[in-house]
Amino acid sequence: MTDKVFIVNNSGHDYSDAKRFGELVVMSEGMIDKFNLTSMLRTFKKHLNTSTKNDFILQSGPSIMNAIACSEFASVHSCLNLLIWRYEQDGSDRYTHHRLNLGKVRKDDRA
């Protein structure tokens, strides 16, 4: 099974570097009503229902969209795998991956 990279919002950027992490899956394109959160969540759920804990969320588009997509992924998998664009002064710009294990919270971790 091939890992997937879920692009939160395709706003016309070049996402080709992200292909090294898996198959690109666009969850939304262009302008989205950032105040219609329920519709946004439904859209992301349709795509993320095929996700596995090894897949990635590629950060793109408005921050509220990323928050909703990441919340849904994390609630299903108890982890969050992000691809974030890293700008380098030497021109070696690329996506970097970050994996967060959001497993069980210990009692002493709660404030």
Side-chain angles (χ1 to χ4, degrees):
M1 178 187 289
T2 302
D3 293 336
K4 295 179 183 174
V5 174
F6 292 92
I7 299 172
V8 174
N9 182 259
N10 181 0
S11 54
H13 295 287
D14 179 3
Y15 300 108
S16 59
D17 181 59
K19 289 180 182 177
R20 60 193 168 98
F21 295 98
E23 173 191 351
L24 302 184
V25 178
V26 174
M27 294 195 291
S28 67
E29 292 199 53
M31 297 296 292
I32 303 293
D33 180 358
K34 64 182 180 180
F35 297 102
N36 193 344
L37 304 182
T38 302
S39 175
M40 193 183 301
L41 178 60
R42 286 184 187 132
T43 297
F44 294 153
K45 278 187 174 206
K46 288 177 192 174
H47 293 283
L48 293 173
N49 70 3
T50 64
S51 68
T52 71
K53 66 179 183 173
N54 297 317
D55 295 333
F56 290 92
I57 299 288
L58 185 148
Q59 298 289 279
S60 63
S63 58
I64 189 62
M65 294 180 77
N66 288 285
I68 299 295
C70 289
S71 295
E72 176 60 19
F73 187 93
S75 72
V76 171
H77 301 297
S78 297
C79 67
L80 184 55
N81 306 322
L82 298 173
L83 289 183
I84 300 172
W85 185 250
R86 183 176 185 139
Y87 170 78
E88 298 289 349
Q89 289 185 348
D90 66 3
S92 62
D93 306 354
R94 65 195 181 283
Y95 283 102
T96 59
H97 70 282
H98 303 270
R99 294 183 185 268
L100 301 172
N101 183 351
L102 305 171
K104 296 178 182 177
V105 176
R106 298 180 318 195
K107 288 181 183 178
D108 58 329
D109 284 346
R110 297 181 193 161

